[in-house]
Amino acid sequence: SESSSAAAAPPPPPCRQITFVIGTDTMVRIINPKYYDNSYDNMLAAAREMIEEGVHFVVGGRVEQIKGDSSVEGDTNEGSRTIFVTGEEELATLPDDVKGMFTIIKE
């Protein structure tokens, strides 16, 4: 018989891993508190529940056209340029365990 004062063991790791391939915009929505009753804590709880279930996301970036100031050196003649958006900035402030559920594909 085990003592009732013994600490509960952490849950075992999931038996399976479910990987989704998503885009940067979808990743941003997954971590946006507005979809969790505007609560950062609810978003973290939902993300951690997904982690416990073995959910992982592979995130592909996208090319974005930026309209520039034609007076800025380095801008094209049309005054615009393209950048590759990975979503790394959006993950930067998240706890490491939640960041770890996303694999960012870089340019």
Side-chain angles (χ1 to χ4, degrees), residues 12-96:
C15 302
R16 65 192 184 289
Q17 183 169 12
I18 305 166
T19 301
F20 296 94
V21 178
I22 61 174
T24 300
D25 295 334
T26 300
M27 181 202 70
V28 169
R29 286 191 292 276
I30 289 170
I31 60 174
N32 187 332
K34 89 175 191 178
Y35 297 106
Y36 305 91
D37 296 325
N38 287 312
S39 168
Y40 181 78
D41 290 336
N42 287 353
M43 180 275 295
L44 290 179
R48 289 178 171 139
E49 186 175 328
M50 286 186 271
I51 292 167
E52 287 175 16
E53 294 296 324
V55 174
H56 185 81
F57 298 98
V58 174
V59 184
R62 63 177 167 76
V63 175
E64 184 174 306
Q65 184 99 16
I66 303 292
K67 291 190 181 212
D69 180 348
S70 59
S71 67
V72 174
E73 188 176 336
D75 275 351
T76 65
N77 291 339
E78 290 119 23
S80 65
R81 60 189 170 94
T82 58
I83 60 170
F84 190 75
V85 179
T86 64
E88 287 178 298
E89 289 178 8
E90 287 77 5
L91 294 180
T93 60
L94 294 176
D96 287 343

